Amino acid sequence: MKNRMKDLDFEQTVAFDSVQDFEFTRKALQRFREVVSLEDFEDEDAEVIFRYLYKEMELVSFGDFLKRYIYERAGLEEPYAEVPNEVYREIVVDSFRETFTPKSMTPTTAKLPALINNWLNQASVKRETIFLLGFGLRMTVEDVSDFLTSVLREQDFDFQNPDEVIFWYCYSKQLGYHQAELYQEKYAKLKENSQIQAKRVVGNNISIENEKELFEYLAYLKTGWEDPLSEKSQAFSEFNRLLNESKEIIAQMYQKDEEEERGKKIWTAEQIGPSDIEKVICSGIPINEMGNLKKMSASILSKHFSQKRFSRQRITNILNHKLPVERFDLITLEFFVVSQKMQDIDPYERYQFFVKEIKNLLYKCGMSELYIVNPYECFILMCLLTDCPLAVFSEIWERSYEEA
């Protein structure tokens, strides 16, 4: 397998790739290839992956991406590594003042320079911060979209959300935050109108050219209409599909154990619930006295994996529409399904199949492609190149708690 590592296929274009010396993706891809090509990878795969994740992998923060973006937009000429945070902070402060953008969308006593310092140093930020930066830095709609999908690794604009529709329109027309507020006030007083068939946004297809069309769509949206082709709807549908496939696989696992123990119970997918899914996928995570997964903070990989585990509570909340489906959920379920259905297939072929499938799935749901710089996604891909992906996945989770 080692000689084939040079052929591992990744999307090598990155957001804002006109920045000279944009190293994040290239470095991460190079290190990935080096790690899975090590002589001891096949025999000590879990140890090699764990060591790379915990001790060697570079964690790229939101602040790093923001600085890269400002560096390009401002046309700074000094070497990127030599630009102090103070320069970026002053650029953002000046831009926010020139555009009359508030320091926050919600009341806060914090000063603008302090908030900007936080953004320049934070590992991640809330979605609303991206929208605020969009106005404050006069971003194009494409820039904001890149930050949502390629930096936050979330869905693109939600065209079922009136605020995001208004923001999208303002960015596309280069209108400021004050105009967005006026539109929000107008929307609050707007009467719903189901007579106007204003389905101007269907899935990824957008057709809103002017203010009249904007409010026609918003009036229709106010009726509670939901686009079955929207990316959010697609993500929920794909989540359910993968969840059902996982239930079928787990039922087969249970049935095999039942037969080995000479039991008579017949297991079906309908009998498999969120607790069973947690038990199998999160088998490497220790349980506390209450029977719940131990806190993520107890793992030394908590920062790497962004505080996410595929717990029964998370599954239930998604099914009850209390949490949105995220790329983490889809990637985890696709990994589980592929790792089990293709467990006897050559690791390289299994890996390539997964990359192709998840690429199409994420695109369908309005999410950006697999990102090798993301520690969790890198972890999943490395596990797929081992002989027993799910076992390695579980072992690394277990070690992350033992060594904390």
Side-chain angles (χ1 to χ4, degrees), residues 104-140:
S104 174
M105 290 187 179
T106 55
T108 179
T109 57
K111 302 295 184 182
L112 178 59
L115 289 171
I116 294 170
N117 268 338
N118 285 337
W119 298 336
L120 291 169
N121 291 286
Q122 282 180 320
S124 187
V125 296
K126 293 181 179 179
R127 196 173 174 87
E128 121 182 340
T129 300
I130 300 298
F131 293 130
L132 191 67
L133 283 165
F135 288 109
L137 296 179
R138 289 194 185 93
M139 289 187 187
T140 65

Coordinates of all heavy atoms in Angstrom, one line a residue, residues 104-140:
S104 N -21.2 44.0 17.4 CA -21.9 42.8 17.7 C -23.3 42.9 17.2 O -23.9 44.0 17.1 CB -21.8 42.4 19.2 OG -22.6 41.3 19.5
M105 N -23.9 41.7 16.9 CA -25.3 41.7 16.6 C -26.2 41.6 17.8 O -27.4 41.8 17.7 CB -25.6 40.5 15.7 CG -25.1 40.6 14.3 SD -25.6 39.3 13.2 CE -24.8 39.8 11.7
T106 N -25.6 41.4 19.0 CA -26.3 41.4 20.2 C -25.6 42.3 21.2 O -24.4 42.6 21.1 CB -26.4 40.0 20.8 OG1 -25.0 39.5 20.9 CG2 -27.2 39.0 19.9
P107 N -26.4 42.8 22.2 CA -25.8 43.8 23.2 C -24.5 43.2 23.8 O -24.5 42.0 24.2 CB -26.9 44.0 24.2 CG -28.1 43.7 23.5 CD -27.8 42.6 22.5
T108 N -23.5 44.0 23.9 CA -22.2 43.6 24.6 C -21.5 44.8 25.1 O -21.6 45.9 24.5 CB -21.3 42.8 23.6 OG1 -20.1 42.5 24.3 CG2 -20.9 43.7 22.4
T109 N -20.8 44.7 26.2 CA -20.0 45.8 26.8 C -18.6 45.7 26.3 O -17.8 46.6 26.6 CB -20.0 45.7 28.3 OG1 -19.6 44.4 28.7 CG2 -21.5 45.9 28.8
A110 N -18.2 44.7 25.6 CA -16.8 44.5 25.1 C -16.5 45.6 24.1 O -17.4 46.0 23.3 CB -16.6 43.1 24.5
K111 N -15.3 46.0 24.0 CA -14.8 47.0 23.1 C -14.5 46.3 21.7 O -14.1 45.1 21.7 CB -13.6 47.7 23.6 CG -13.8 48.4 24.9 CD -14.7 49.6 24.8 CE -14.8 50.3 26.1 NZ -15.9 51.4 26.1
L112 N -14.7 47.0 20.6 CA -14.4 46.4 19.3 C -13.0 45.9 19.2 O -12.8 44.7 18.7 CB -14.7 47.5 18.2 CG -14.4 47.0 16.8 CD1 -15.2 45.8 16.4 CD2 -14.7 48.1 15.8
P113 N -11.9 46.6 19.6 CA -10.6 46.0 19.5 C -10.4 44.7 20.2 O -9.7 43.8 19.8 CB -9.7 47.1 20.0 CG -10.4 48.4 19.8 CD -11.9 48.0 20.1
A114 N -11.0 44.6 21.4 CA -10.9 43.4 22.2 C -11.7 42.2 21.5 O -11.2 41.1 21.5 CB -11.5 43.6 23.6
L115 N -12.8 42.5 20.9 CA -13.5 41.5 20.2 C -12.7 41.0 19.0 O -12.7 39.8 18.7 CB -14.9 42.0 19.7 CG -15.9 42.2 20.8 CD1 -17.1 43.0 20.2 CD2 -16.4 40.9 21.4
I116 N -12.1 42.0 18.3 CA -11.3 41.6 17.1 C -10.1 40.7 17.5 O -9.8 39.8 16.8 CB -10.9 42.9 16.3 CG1 -12.1 43.5 15.7 CG2 -9.9 42.5 15.2 CD1 -11.8 44.9 15.2
N117 N -9.5 41.1 18.6 CA -8.4 40.3 19.1 C -8.8 38.9 19.4 O -8.1 37.9 19.1 CB -7.8 40.9 20.4 CG -6.7 41.8 20.2 OD1 -6.0 41.8 19.2 ND2 -6.5 42.7 21.1
N118 N -10.0 38.7 19.9 CA -10.6 37.4 20.1 C -10.7 36.6 18.8 O -10.3 35.4 18.7 CB -11.9 37.4 20.9 CG -11.8 37.8 22.3 OD1 -10.7 37.6 22.9 ND2 -12.8 38.3 22.9
W119 N -11.3 37.3 17.8 CA -11.5 36.6 16.5 C -10.2 36.2 15.9 O -10.1 35.1 15.3 CB -12.2 37.6 15.6 CG -13.6 38.0 16.1 CD1 -14.4 37.3 16.9 CD2 -14.3 39.2 15.7 NE1 -15.6 38.0 17.1 CE2 -15.5 39.2 16.4 CE3 -14.0 40.3 14.8 CZ2 -16.5 40.2 16.2 CZ3 -15.0 41.3 14.7 CH2 -16.2 41.2 15.4
L120 N -9.2 37.0 16.1 CA -7.9 36.7 15.5 C -7.1 35.6 16.2 O -6.2 35.0 15.7 CB -7.0 37.9 15.5 CG -7.4 39.1 14.6 CD1 -6.6 40.3 14.9 CD2 -7.2 38.7 13.1
N121 N -7.6 35.2 17.4 CA -7.0 34.1 18.2 C -7.8 32.9 18.4 O -7.3 31.9 19.0 CB -6.5 34.7 19.5 CG -5.3 35.7 19.3 OD1 -4.2 35.3 19.0 ND2 -5.6 37.0 19.4
Q122 N -9.1 33.0 18.1 CA -10.0 31.9 18.4 C -9.9 30.7 17.5 O -9.6 30.8 16.3 CB -11.5 32.4 18.4 CG -11.8 33.2 19.7 CD -13.3 33.6 19.7 OE1 -13.8 34.1 18.6 NE2 -13.9 33.6 20.8
A123 N -10.1 29.5 18.1 CA -10.1 28.3 17.3 C -11.3 28.2 16.3 O -11.2 27.8 15.2 CB -10.1 27.1 18.2
S124 N -12.4 28.7 16.8 CA -13.6 28.7 16.0 C -14.5 29.9 16.5 O -14.3 30.4 17.6 CB -14.4 27.4 16.1 OG -15.5 27.4 15.2
V125 N -15.5 30.2 15.7 CA -16.5 31.3 16.1 C -17.9 30.8 15.7 O -18.1 29.8 15.0 CB -16.2 32.6 15.3 CG1 -14.8 33.2 15.8 CG2 -16.2 32.4 13.8
K126 N -18.9 31.6 16.2 CA -20.2 31.3 15.8 C -20.5 31.8 14.4 O -19.9 32.7 13.9 CB -21.2 32.0 16.8 CG -21.1 31.4 18.2 CD -22.1 32.1 19.2 CE -22.0 31.5 20.6 NZ -23.0 32.2 21.5
R127 N -21.6 31.2 13.9 CA -22.0 31.6 12.5 C -22.3 33.1 12.4 O -21.9 33.7 11.4 CB -23.2 30.7 12.2 CG -23.6 30.7 10.7 CD -24.8 29.7 10.6 NE -25.3 29.6 9.2 CZ -24.8 28.9 8.3 NH1 -23.8 28.1 8.5 NH2 -25.4 28.9 7.1
E128 N -22.9 33.6 13.4 CA -23.3 35.0 13.4 C -22.0 35.9 13.3 O -22.1 37.0 12.7 CB -24.1 35.3 14.6 CG -23.6 36.4 15.5 CD -24.5 36.6 16.8 OE1 -25.7 36.3 16.8 OE2 -23.9 37.2 17.7
T129 N -20.9 35.5 13.8 CA -19.7 36.3 13.7 C -19.2 36.4 12.2 O -18.7 37.4 11.8 CB -18.5 35.6 14.5 OG1 -19.0 35.6 15.9 CG2 -17.3 36.4 14.4
I130 N -19.4 35.3 11.5 CA -19.1 35.3 10.1 C -19.9 36.4 9.3 O -19.4 37.1 8.5 CB -19.3 33.9 9.4 CG1 -18.4 32.9 10.1 CG2 -19.0 34.0 7.9 CD1 -16.9 33.2 10.0
F131 N -21.2 36.4 9.7 CA -22.1 37.4 9.0 C -21.7 38.8 9.4 O -21.8 39.7 8.5 CB -23.6 37.1 9.4 CG -24.1 35.8 8.9 CD1 -24.7 34.9 9.7 CD2 -23.9 35.4 7.5 CE1 -25.2 33.7 9.2 CE2 -24.4 34.2 7.0 CZ -25.0 33.3 7.9
L132 N -21.3 39.0 10.6 CA -20.9 40.3 11.0 C -19.6 40.7 10.3 O -19.5 41.9 9.8 CB -20.7 40.4 12.6 CG -20.5 41.7 13.2 CD1 -21.7 42.6 13.1 CD2 -20.0 41.6 14.6
L133 N -18.7 39.8 10.2 CA -17.4 40.1 9.5 C -17.7 40.4 8.0 O -17.0 41.2 7.4 CB -16.5 39.0 9.7 CG -15.7 38.9 11.0 CD1 -15.1 37.5 11.2 CD2 -14.7 39.9 11.1
G134 N -18.7 39.7 7.5 CA -19.1 39.9 6.1 C -19.4 41.4 5.8 O -19.0 41.9 4.8
F135 N -20.2 42.0 6.8 CA -20.5 43.4 6.6 C -19.3 44.3 7.0 O -19.0 45.2 6.2 CB -21.7 43.8 7.5 CG -23.0 43.2 7.0 CD1 -23.6 42.2 7.7 CD2 -23.6 43.7 5.9 CE1 -24.8 41.6 7.3 CE2 -24.8 43.2 5.5 CZ -25.4 42.1 6.2
G136 N -18.6 44.0 8.0 CA -17.5 44.8 8.5 C -16.4 44.9 7.6 O -15.7 45.9 7.5
L137 N -16.1 43.8 6.8 CA -15.0 43.7 5.9 C -15.4 43.8 4.4 O -14.6 43.6 3.5 CB -14.2 42.4 6.1 CG -13.6 42.2 7.5 CD1 -12.8 40.9 7.6 CD2 -12.6 43.4 7.8
R138 N -16.7 44.2 4.2 CA -17.2 44.4 2.9 C -16.9 43.1 2.0 O -16.5 43.2 0.9 CB -16.5 45.6 2.1 CG -16.9 46.9 2.6 CD -16.5 48.0 1.6 NE -16.7 49.4 2.1 CZ -15.9 50.1 2.8 NH1 -14.7 49.6 3.1 NH2 -16.1 51.3 3.2
M139 N -17.2 42.0 2.6 CA -17.0 40.7 1.9 C -18.0 40.6 0.7 O -19.2 41.1 0.8 CB -17.2 39.5 2.8 CG -16.1 39.4 3.8 SD -16.3 37.8 4.7 CE -15.0 37.9 5.9
T140 N -17.6 39.9 -0.3 CA -18.6 39.5 -1.3 C -19.4 38.3 -0.8 O -19.0 37.7 0.2 CB -17.8 39.0 -2.6 OG1 -17.1 37.8 -2.3 CG2 -16.9 40.1 -3.1

